[in-house]
Amino acid sequence: MSAEKTKAIPKAEQIYWLLRQAIVHLEMAPGAVISEKDLCAEFGVSRTPVREALQKLADEGLVDIFPHSGTYVSRISFTVAEEGFIIRRALEIESVRKAVANVTDADVARLKVLIGDMQAILDSNQLDHYLDCDDAFHSAIAGISGYPRIWKFITLAKVHLDRMRQLSAPVPGHLAVVTEQHDTIVRALANRNADQAELAMRIHLDTSFAVMARMYEDQGALFDRKDAP
């Protein structure tokens, strides 16, 4: 991004996206205290843009603001995460079926490159980068479908789900299976078979969520215990 474009983005928006990324990537742990004073010092701004950013995060359910008490990174809501999964699955199934009608050999080659990138990440054990590559893969399918805004809606819906994805990433063998499932999706697209593509996408998303759902038991302290599954 150029300096001119960066300067054009309001400070509150910049802070919002940086904090959002840190929360989704679990760099800011669920339940952690957020200090407005520290954020003002870190970003070199007054309290106004910090408060605007935090309020926007609160509207997404990523931050809990308690007047006269404190501000905290929200714990993960399993219910909201599951809702995001249901929305994501419905939209991605439509997306991959539409993609079958539009996919070109160049598109298939591009998706295979992304799968190669995922495998390289697994081989180097740099799992922090895997989910960004995973998102790029699914976003690319939405682009091929001809409805790229589908991925924007999915991104908004899956924010709590993304934190569960981060938790599940280190599960032994999980991301290797995910990579194989991505390859199955691409082969269905290359064959221009909508039914195979839908089935491959459905299996991929369902099995991934099953692994994520186990995080509720394994990492219970990070979840909002008031909304048990």
Side-chain angles (χ1 to χ4, degrees), residues 57-222:
L57 290 166
D59 292 342
E60 282 191 81
L62 290 175
V63 164
D64 294 323
I65 300 174
F66 300 104
H68 313 298
S69 176
T71 301
Y72 305 85
V73 177
S74 71
R75 285 183 164 78
I76 301 169
S77 167
F78 185 93
T79 300
V80 175
E82 186 172 37
E83 180 182 58
F85 162 70
I86 290 169
I87 292 169
R88 176 179 185 175
R89 180 174 58 184
L91 291 177
E92 289 231 58
I93 285 171
E94 290 300 319
S95 177
V96 79
R97 290 192 70 92
K98 294 287 187 184
V100 167
N102 297 329
V103 68
T104 65
D105 290 345
D107 292 327
V108 170
R110 181 160 55 100
L111 292 172
K112 287 182 177 179
V113 168
L114 288 170
I115 292 174
D117 291 342
M118 291 178 214
Q119 188 59 55
I121 289 168
L122 291 181
D123 292 343
S124 63
N125 201 35
Q126 295 180 340
L127 302 186
D128 289 348
H129 301 290
Y130 187 94
L131 296 182
D132 289 335
C133 194
D134 183 292
D135 281 347
F137 175 84
H138 287 273
S139 176
I141 291 175
I144 295 166
S145 78
Y147 299 99
R149 290 207 307 161
I150 282 178
W151 187 249
K152 292 183 179 180
F153 291 126
I154 291 171
T155 298
L156 291 173
K158 69 184 180 70
V159 63
H160 282 267
L161 184 67
D162 280 345
R163 293 202 283 174
M164 288 173 64
R165 289 169 70 209
Q166 290 288 341
L167 287 176
S168 68
V171 172
H174 171 49
L175 294 183
V177 171
V178 167
T179 305
E180 291 174 2
Q181 290 171 341
H182 286 158
D183 185 62
T184 302
I185 293 168
V186 172
R187 281 189 276 112
L189 286 169
N191 291 335
R192 276 66 172 180
N193 189 313
D195 290 339
Q196 285 182 359
E198 175 181 338
L199 179 60
M201 181 65 77
R202 190 182 294 275
I203 290 172
H204 166 52
L205 295 177
D206 285 352
T207 56
S208 292
F209 185 72
V211 175
M212 286 183 255
R214 292 202 293 272
M215 296 299 102
Y216 184 83
E217 299 301 328
D218 297 341
Q219 305 275 356
L222 302 181

